[in-house]
Amino acid sequence: MKIAVGCDHGGIVLKESVVNTLNALGAEVLDLGCYSTDSVDYPEYGEKVAKAVASGEADAGVIMCGTGIGISIAANKVKGIRAAVVTNTYMAKLTKNHNNANIIALGGRVISPEEAKDIVEAWYTAEYEGGRHQRRLDMISRIEDENFK
Ligand code: RB5
């Protein structure tokens, strides 16, 4: 699996833990920045990761900002992206099981690097369950088709 990773200055505190965890799980990591604590704009990094996933350049993504919220909102503006803010391992597992989230969003001011490790592992190793959940994802795709250019 190739996983695109992106963050702003508020999320960079989690990046090393996330990258190390993904490497330990056997993933190939595509690091799309940012690379320092200098202030940057989270939509740029949400878009970069989302486009990498939507185009197939990466299989999935992990994005980080201060809360995970702003960068997830940006990523979800790219068609085909299901980016979920997660703050614990239960949410991480369930958003793969039920939502087949192709991106998770983490908050560097919300969770610790240790919690990020557990969350990434829970999401990465969980399986999408399909079945009744696919009908709901198809409904989301229909909303996209009707409302995206
Ligand atoms: C940047 O200060 C902060 O607004 C950003 O990292 C994020 O929390 C936005 O949702």
Side-chain angles (χ1 to χ4, degrees):
M1 287 271 280
K2 188 166 178 178
I3 308 294
V5 168
C7 64
D8 76 354
H9 56 287
I12 198 164
V13 65
L14 301 178
K15 192 163 80 165
E16 187 180 348
S17 170
V18 166
V19 169
N20 289 343
T21 302
L22 288 168
N23 282 329
L25 288 163
E28 181 186 347
V29 175
L30 175 65
D31 184 352
L32 297 175
C34 66
Y35 305 105
S36 82
T37 53
D38 294 347
S39 182
V40 291
D41 298 320
Y42 60 79
E44 181 180 338
Y45 298 93
E47 181 182 20
K48 279 184 182 177
V49 172
K51 284 187 167 169
V53 174
S55 70
E57 183 186 2
D59 298 298
V62 180
I63 52 180
M64 297 149 274
C65 67
T67 58
I69 296 171
I71 201 164
S72 72
I73 292 171
N76 278 315
K77 298 303 178 191
V78 175
K79 193 172 180 183
I81 294 304
R82 294 177 303 280
V85 180
V86 295
T87 59
N88 59 49
T89 56
Y90 180 74
M91 293 170 75
K93 177 179 180 298
L94 266 285
T95 202
K96 177 69 82 61
N97 292 161
H98 292 187
N99 316 122
N100 201 17
N102 48 14
I103 295 181
I104 55 167
L106 310 177
R109 298 171 187 156
V110 179
I111 62 167
S112 67
E114 293 72 29
E115 289 170 313
K117 172 184 183 299
D118 293 341
I119 285 169
V120 166
E121 196 171 310
W123 165 74
Y124 188 90
T125 58
E127 301 276 349
Y128 174 51
E129 290 176 359
R132 70 186 187 281
H133 304 295
Q134 189 55 48
R135 177 169 50 83
R136 293 158 185 162
L137 295 193
D138 290 344
M139 292 171 75
I140 292 171
S141 297
R142 192 265 304 156
I143 296 168
E144 279 185 336
D145 289 341
E146 290 179 7
N147 293 281
F148 278 53
K149 254 194 327 182

